[in-house]
Amino acid sequence: MVANNQPVNKHQRQKLEAVLESLSKDDRDRLFAEARKQRSDAQKRRNTKARESVDGERLGRGKRRPDPLIDWVLRLVERDFAHKREDAADDRELVEGLVVGLTRRRATVLPAGCDGADLSKHILCRLSAELAGRQQDGIAVGDRVLFTTLDVPADAVEHEVVSVLPRESKLARPDSHDTNQERVVAANVDVVVIVVSVVSPPLHPRLIDRYLVAIEWGDCTPMIAVNKADLLPAGELDEALKVLEPYEQAGIPIAVCAAVPGDDSSVRVDGLRELLAGKTCAFVGHSGVGKSSLANALDESLGIATKTVRETDHRGRHTTTASAMHFIEPGIRVIDTPGVRFFGLAEMSPDELRWLFPEFERFVHSCKFNDCAHDHEPGCAVKAAVGSGEIALARYDTYLRLLEELRTGGKPKDVSERIRSDFDPSDFDPDVFDTNG
Ligand code: GDP
Ligand code: ZN
């Protein structure tokens, strides 16, 4: 794995992942920071030609980055730490699994290679003391974990999650009490579906932009689902969808849906189902746009509580919105956690923001200055591309706005706060987050 981004074999990778997991938070933070920098430098070095093929790959297969951050991190683990653990192999037998459910002290784990729809394969595990202590960022639905059998069952639980393997991607938001602390609300998400509705509530492209930045930051891939298409006549619908052209231009898949179809039964959720086939996804978006309805429309047996139900039974939704992964045909895994509904930006520097607008990447290498912020600098290729229409003006505007916010306020909280301010405040229940990523 060290040379030329060659993928490691599975065994070697697991070993490096276990070493990484055993490191102190400081060491891990240092490795991630260095890996981020290395990757960003490599991105800068990459020439335009290479970028084009990468973009092509993104459109074709939905996954944009050829080498995820974690690969860079593991290379550093091998460089700095691998030798220390040669003889420290744990003598307990460890099995790999996937977290499909989570409460304060317990995780439901699906052993690797098992069919998630088969509930008899789900194993209830307690969390190791260390994991239970740092549940905010330590473990989330979607995490790959190592678990073991307990010598003595505790409260009828026979297994324990010992460690969490490094994540490929995550959906995180700052803690509402301490913005330097992040809460991971879902892990290893292939696609984050930003749900918007054409009307009620009306479509806000700026909100989409904020989600996009947060999604990029966690190394996830975005998609847009435009719901409630049944509420507009065809002509008006086409008109309303025009505001989404910049996203289409940026290569983001868009599915037009009607989770609760009216007279026009031609638009339902088939397009969305096709785009999500074989992927792990999470639905984010404004309250009331139809996130729950969409998941239910994909699979009628899910029975996720929708707005109308929740309004009549406010308390009851604590039990109906436990953190879980749902398995839907064809091979779709939907992560539904209360925290997903409120996710926002974690810590980010203005410099990092530059890498979170994928459609800029093709041009940044032609900017006169290496560290061009595409703001006031002369010879900026990004600005030129906005001028020639190759980058949408609306997206560039959003970039400048967010840049300004990060520079002046400096507090990422401001940005996430604005995402959150678009939510229905009655939907915000801190208790839910305490029990759950
Ligand atoms: P969430 O808060 O994003 O999960 O939204 P819900 O799924 O709870 O839906 C909010 C309301 O919009 C409910 O009353 C749904 O019945 C309604 N709704 C959801 N999707 C559609 C749709 O495609 N068309 C129409 N007409 N109503 C919808
Ligand atoms: Zn520039």
Side-chain angles (χ1 to χ4, degrees):
M1 111 159 283
V2 179
N4 304 328
N5 302 344
Q6 286 304 309
V8 267
N9 72 41
K10 204 177 159 200
H11 176 71
Q12 213 178 341
R13 189 179 175 97
Q14 255 192 12
K15 231 169 74 180
L16 289 173
E17 288 174 339
V19 173
L20 176 62
E21 181 54 32
S22 72
L23 300 178
S24 70
K25 182 165 185 318
D26 282 353
D27 280 335
R28 274 199 304 250
D29 286 351
R30 179 179 64 74
L31 289 181
F32 272 90
E34 187 177 348
R36 226 173 241 289
K37 167 134 199 339
Q38 283 189 350
R39 185 176 70 172
S40 153
D41 288 348
Q43 257 167 343
K44 285 176 209 167
R45 282 196 302 270
R46 220 169 270 160
N47 63 31
T48 313
K49 197 148 177 266
R51 279 255 52 104
E52 273 165 7
S53 69
V54 171
D55 285 349
E57 186 173 284
R58 170 185 192 169
L59 291 176
R61 291 200 270 122
K63 191 75 188 161
R64 184 183 62 269
R65 293 204 171 92
D67 12 291
L69 186 63
I70 190 62
D71 286 357
W72 295 85
V73 172
L74 290 182
R75 251 171 262 141
L76 296 176
V77 171
E78 183 160 66
R79 185 193 70 186
D80 295 353
F81 295 99
H83 58 283
K84 290 193 188 164
R85 271 293 285 256
E86 279 305 314
D87 53 359
D90 203 313
D91 46 8
R92 285 191 291 178
E93 200 198 335
L94 298 176
V95 179
E96 186 181 327
L98 174 72
V99 177
V100 297
L102 194 64
T103 62
R104 198 190 282 270
R105 286 194 183 77
R106 298 198 171 162
T108 307
V109 175
L110 178 72
C114 292
D115 173 12
D118 181 354
L119 293 182
S120 72
K121 297 282 194 287
H122 293 202
I123 296 178
L124 187 63
C125 300
R126 73 172 189 196
L127 301 179
S128 69
E130 202 254 332
L131 278 176
R134 43 181 277 260
Q135 213 191 82
Q136 301 189 342
D137 65 337
I139 185 165
V141 174
D143 265 323
R144 290 185 305 130
V145 295
L146 296 177
F147 68 99
T148 189
T149 309
L150 292 169
D151 297 332
V152 185
D155 295 332
V157 178
E158 294 172 3
H159 298 88
E160 180 179 271
V161 174
V162 187
S163 64
V164 175
L165 297 174
R167 298 168 174 137
E168 297 271 336
S169 65
K170 68 186 171 190
L171 214 49
R173 60 175 195 81
D175 186 278
S176 48
H177 305 296
D178 173 6
T179 45
N180 290 322
Q181 170 80 42
E182 75 172 8
R183 285 186 176 234
V184 177
V185 299
N188 302 319
V189 187
D190 297 322
V191 184
V192 182
V193 185
I194 304 169
V195 183
V196 292
S197 51
V198 280
V199 284
S200 123
L203 222 164
H204 290 302
R206 297 227 177 278
L207 192 68
I208 297 180
D209 289 328
R210 290 172 182 281
Y211 279 120
L212 284 177
V213 170
I215 290 167
E216 278 289 321
W217 190 82
D219 268 336
C220 299
T221 302
M223 182 185 293
I224 299 173
V226 195
N227 193 32
K228 306 199 186 183
D230 56 299
L231 294 181
L232 282 185
E236 282 177 47
L237 180 62
D238 290 345
E239 196 54 39
L241 292 179
K242 283 210 176 111
V243 295
L244 298 180
E245 273 166 14
Y247 306 103
E248 204 172 0
Q249 193 185 343
I252 299 170
I254 300 176
V256 181
C257 318
V260 182
D263 296 339
D264 180 7
S265 53
S266 62
V267 274
R268 293 190 188 225
V269 294
D270 297 344
L272 182 65
R273 193 195 310 275
E274 232 164 80
L275 287 172
L276 293 180
K279 302 209 163 93
T280 301
C281 62
F283 294 94
V284 301
H286 197 297
S287 176
V289 291
K291 297 180 292 294
S292 319
S293 305
L294 277 176
N296 288 334
L298 287 169
D299 185 338
E300 281 164 17
S301 68
L302 283 188
I304 297 171
T306 58
K307 196 80 189 162
T308 21
V309 176
R310 279 192 267 130
E311 271 163 4
T312 57
D313 182 15
H314 204 72
R315 287 281 105 189
R317 89 192 149 86
H318 283 270
T319 49
T320 54
T321 53
S323 289
M325 183 183 278
H326 303 285
F327 295 83
I328 299 179
E329 286 306 316
I332 304 171
R333 293 177 286 199
V334 180
I335 297 183
D336 180 35
T337 77
V340 160
R341 288 161 188 260
F342 300 96
F343 103 99
L345 297 191
E347 232 173 318
M348 181 194 301
S349 68
D351 185 53
E352 275 176 300
L353 184 69
R354 294 191 294 146
W355 302 102
L356 300 178
F357 284 70
E359 71 265 52
F360 292 8
E361 285 178 17
R362 197 149 63 88
F363 303 98
V364 296
H365 311 283
S366 313
C367 288
K368 183 169 169 199
F369 297 104
N370 235 346
D371 58 349
C372 183
H374 323 309
D375 180 11
H376 303 298
E377 295 87 346
C380 172
V382 168
K383 260 190 290 185
V386 175
S388 66
E390 286 169 280
I391 290 175
L393 180 62
R395 290 274 294 161
Y396 180 64
D397 268 354
T398 302
Y399 168 77
L400 288 183
R401 205 179 305 258
L402 291 177
L403 188 65
E404 192 57 24
E405 270 178 38
L406 292 172
R407 277 175 176 168
T408 53
K411 291 189 195 128
K413 183 178 171 219
D414 297 349
V415 181
S416 72
E417 213 66 82
R418 298 208 187 181
I419 290 183
R420 233 179 292 154
S421 70
D422 284 295
F423 285 104
D424 173 2
S426 71
D427 236 16
F428 183 83
D429 183 346
D431 286 350
V432 174
F433 303 130
D434 287 340
T435 54
N436 214 303

PDB file of all heavy atoms in Angstrom, residues 106 123-126 150 152-159:
ATOM      1  N   ARG A 106     -25.584   0.159  23.583  1.00  0.00           N
ATOM      2  CA  ARG A 106     -25.575  -1.062  22.785  1.00  0.00           C
ATOM      3  C   ARG A 106     -25.577  -0.779  21.296  1.00  0.00           C
ATOM      4  O   ARG A 106     -26.094   0.249  20.852  1.00  0.00           O
ATOM      5  CB  ARG A 106     -26.803  -1.899  23.118  1.00  0.00           C
ATOM      6  CG  ARG A 106     -26.754  -2.289  24.554  1.00  0.00           C
ATOM      7  CD  ARG A 106     -27.646  -3.416  24.881  1.00  0.00           C
ATOM      8  NE  ARG A 106     -27.328  -3.824  26.240  1.00  0.00           N
ATOM      9  CZ  ARG A 106     -28.121  -4.551  26.987  1.00  0.00           C
ATOM     10  NH1 ARG A 106     -29.274  -4.954  26.518  1.00  0.00           N
ATOM     11  NH2 ARG A 106     -27.744  -4.890  28.189  1.00  0.00           N
ATOM     12  N   ILE A 123     -26.728  -9.149  15.610  1.00  0.00           N
ATOM     13  CA  ILE A 123     -26.208  -9.518  16.927  1.00  0.00           C
ATOM     14  C   ILE A 123     -26.185  -8.296  17.845  1.00  0.00           C
ATOM     15  O   ILE A 123     -25.617  -7.257  17.497  1.00  0.00           O
ATOM     16  CB  ILE A 123     -24.780 -10.085  16.788  1.00  0.00           C
ATOM     17  CG1 ILE A 123     -24.826 -11.377  15.966  1.00  0.00           C
ATOM     18  CG2 ILE A 123     -24.171 -10.333  18.159  1.00  0.00           C
ATOM     19  CD1 ILE A 123     -23.457 -11.981  15.744  1.00  0.00           C
ATOM     20  N   LEU A 124     -26.811  -8.449  19.010  1.00  0.00           N
ATOM     21  CA  LEU A 124     -26.812  -7.351  19.975  1.00  0.00           C
ATOM     22  C   LEU A 124     -25.497  -7.368  20.753  1.00  0.00           C
ATOM     23  O   LEU A 124     -25.103  -8.396  21.295  1.00  0.00           O
ATOM     24  CB  LEU A 124     -27.995  -7.503  20.935  1.00  0.00           C
ATOM     25  CG  LEU A 124     -28.196  -6.326  21.893  1.00  0.00           C
ATOM     26  CD1 LEU A 124     -28.527  -5.060  21.112  1.00  0.00           C
ATOM     27  CD2 LEU A 124     -29.305  -6.637  22.895  1.00  0.00           C
ATOM     28  N   CYS A 125     -24.802  -6.244  20.760  1.00  0.00           N
ATOM     29  CA  CYS A 125     -23.507  -6.161  21.447  1.00  0.00           C
ATOM     30  C   CYS A 125     -23.548  -5.024  22.446  1.00  0.00           C
ATOM     31  O   CYS A 125     -24.200  -4.012  22.222  1.00  0.00           O
ATOM     32  CB  CYS A 125     -22.388  -5.828  20.463  1.00  0.00           C
ATOM     33  SG  CYS A 125     -22.144  -7.001  19.131  1.00  0.00           S
ATOM     34  N   ARG A 126     -22.800  -5.180  23.537  1.00  0.00           N
ATOM     35  CA  ARG A 126     -22.610  -3.998  24.363  1.00  0.00           C
ATOM     36  C   ARG A 126     -21.395  -3.255  23.809  1.00  0.00           C
ATOM     37  O   ARG A 126     -20.619  -3.801  23.016  1.00  0.00           O
ATOM     38  CB  ARG A 126     -22.409  -4.386  25.825  1.00  0.00           C
ATOM     39  CG  ARG A 126     -21.067  -5.006  26.096  1.00  0.00           C
ATOM     40  CD  ARG A 126     -20.872  -5.190  27.591  1.00  0.00           C
ATOM     41  NE  ARG A 126     -19.501  -5.579  27.863  1.00  0.00           N
ATOM     42  CZ  ARG A 126     -19.093  -6.107  29.009  1.00  0.00           C
ATOM     43  NH1 ARG A 126     -19.963  -6.324  29.985  1.00  0.00           N
ATOM     44  NH2 ARG A 126     -17.825  -6.423  29.180  1.00  0.00           N
ATOM     45  N   LEU A 150     -18.131 -12.422  24.635  1.00  0.00           N
ATOM     46  CA  LEU A 150     -17.753 -12.219  26.046  1.00  0.00           C
ATOM     47  C   LEU A 150     -17.613 -13.576  26.742  1.00  0.00           C
ATOM     48  O   LEU A 150     -18.362 -14.504  26.455  1.00  0.00           O
ATOM     49  CB  LEU A 150     -18.827 -11.406  26.764  1.00  0.00           C
ATOM     50  CG  LEU A 150     -18.977  -9.946  26.335  1.00  0.00           C
ATOM     51  CD1 LEU A 150     -20.246  -9.351  26.937  1.00  0.00           C
ATOM     52  CD2 LEU A 150     -17.755  -9.153  26.768  1.00  0.00           C
ATOM     53  N   VAL A 152     -18.155 -13.987  29.888  1.00  0.00           N
ATOM     54  CA  VAL A 152     -19.335 -14.021  30.758  1.00  0.00           C
ATOM     55  C   VAL A 152     -20.378 -13.052  30.195  1.00  0.00           C
ATOM     56  O   VAL A 152     -20.114 -11.855  30.106  1.00  0.00           O
ATOM     57  CB  VAL A 152     -18.957 -13.563  32.187  1.00  0.00           C
ATOM     58  CG1 VAL A 152     -20.146 -13.712  33.123  1.00  0.00           C
ATOM     59  CG2 VAL A 152     -17.749 -14.312  32.682  1.00  0.00           C
ATOM     60  N   PRO A 153     -21.559 -13.557  29.794  1.00  0.00           N
ATOM     61  CA  PRO A 153     -22.581 -12.650  29.262  1.00  0.00           C
ATOM     62  C   PRO A 153     -22.980 -11.605  30.295  1.00  0.00           C
ATOM     63  O   PRO A 153     -23.028 -11.889  31.486  1.00  0.00           O
ATOM     64  CB  PRO A 153     -23.757 -13.578  28.969  1.00  0.00           C
ATOM     65  CG  PRO A 153     -23.173 -14.940  28.874  1.00  0.00           C
ATOM     66  CD  PRO A 153     -21.982 -14.956  29.775  1.00  0.00           C
ATOM     67  N   ALA A 154     -23.231 -10.386  29.849  1.00  0.00           N
ATOM     68  CA  ALA A 154     -23.646  -9.315  30.755  1.00  0.00           C
ATOM     69  C   ALA A 154     -25.053  -8.893  30.373  1.00  0.00           C
ATOM     70  O   ALA A 154     -25.282  -8.513  29.229  1.00  0.00           O
ATOM     71  CB  ALA A 154     -22.683  -8.131  30.631  1.00  0.00           C
ATOM     72  N   ASP A 155     -25.998  -8.976  31.306  1.00  0.00           N
ATOM     73  CA  ASP A 155     -27.397  -8.632  31.025  1.00  0.00           C
ATOM     74  C   ASP A 155     -27.898  -9.310  29.752  1.00  0.00           C
ATOM     75  O   ASP A 155     -28.467  -8.668  28.884  1.00  0.00           O
ATOM     76  CB  ASP A 155     -27.561  -7.120  30.854  1.00  0.00           C
ATOM     77  CG  ASP A 155     -27.259  -6.391  32.140  1.00  0.00           C
ATOM     78  OD1 ASP A 155     -27.464  -7.001  33.201  1.00  0.00           O
ATOM     79  OD2 ASP A 155     -26.815  -5.232  32.066  1.00  0.00           O
ATOM     80  N   ALA A 156     -27.613 -10.576  29.635  1.00  0.00           N
ATOM     81  CA  ALA A 156     -28.070 -11.359  28.491  1.00  0.00           C
ATOM     82  C   ALA A 156     -27.425 -10.941  27.170  1.00  0.00           C
ATOM     83  O   ALA A 156     -27.814 -11.395  26.109  1.00  0.00           O
ATOM     84  CB  ALA A 156     -29.590 -11.318  28.370  1.00  0.00           C
ATOM     85  N   VAL A 157     -26.441 -10.041  27.226  1.00  0.00           N
ATOM     86  CA  VAL A 157     -25.715  -9.690  26.003  1.00  0.00           C
ATOM     87  C   VAL A 157     -24.409 -10.477  25.981  1.00  0.00           C
ATOM     88  O   VAL A 157     -23.653 -10.487  26.943  1.00  0.00           O
ATOM     89  CB  VAL A 157     -25.411  -8.173  25.943  1.00  0.00           C
ATOM     90  CG1 VAL A 157     -24.618  -7.832  24.699  1.00  0.00           C
ATOM     91  CG2 VAL A 157     -26.706  -7.396  25.985  1.00  0.00           C
ATOM     92  N   GLU A 158     -24.182 -11.172  24.863  1.00  0.00           N
ATOM     93  CA  GLU A 158     -23.034 -12.086  24.821  1.00  0.00           C
ATOM     94  C   GLU A 158     -21.848 -11.561  24.032  1.00  0.00           C
ATOM     95  O   GLU A 158     -20.818 -12.202  23.946  1.00  0.00           O
ATOM     96  CB  GLU A 158     -23.491 -13.431  24.226  1.00  0.00           C
ATOM     97  CG  GLU A 158     -24.487 -14.147  25.115  1.00  0.00           C
ATOM     98  CD  GLU A 158     -25.077 -15.382  24.443  1.00  0.00           C
ATOM     99  OE1 GLU A 158     -24.663 -15.697  23.303  1.00  0.00           O
ATOM    100  OE2 GLU A 158     -25.951 -16.009  25.059  1.00  0.00           O
ATOM    101  N   HIS A 159     -22.023 -10.398  23.427  1.00  0.00           N
ATOM    102  CA  HIS A 159     -20.946  -9.883  22.579  1.00  0.00           C
ATOM    103  C   HIS A 159     -20.607  -8.443  22.937  1.00  0.00           C
ATOM    104  O   HIS A 159     -21.422  -7.732  23.534  1.00  0.00           O
ATOM    105  CB  HIS A 159     -21.352  -9.965  21.101  1.00  0.00           C
ATOM    106  CG  HIS A 159     -21.608 -11.353  20.637  1.00  0.00           C
ATOM    107  ND1 HIS A 159     -22.847 -11.951  20.752  1.00  0.00           N
ATOM    108  CD2 HIS A 159     -20.780 -12.266  20.078  1.00  0.00           C
ATOM    109  CE1 HIS A 159     -22.769 -13.183  20.278  1.00  0.00           C
ATOM    110  NE2 HIS A 159     -21.527 -13.400  19.859  1.00  0.00           N
TER     111      HIS A 159
END
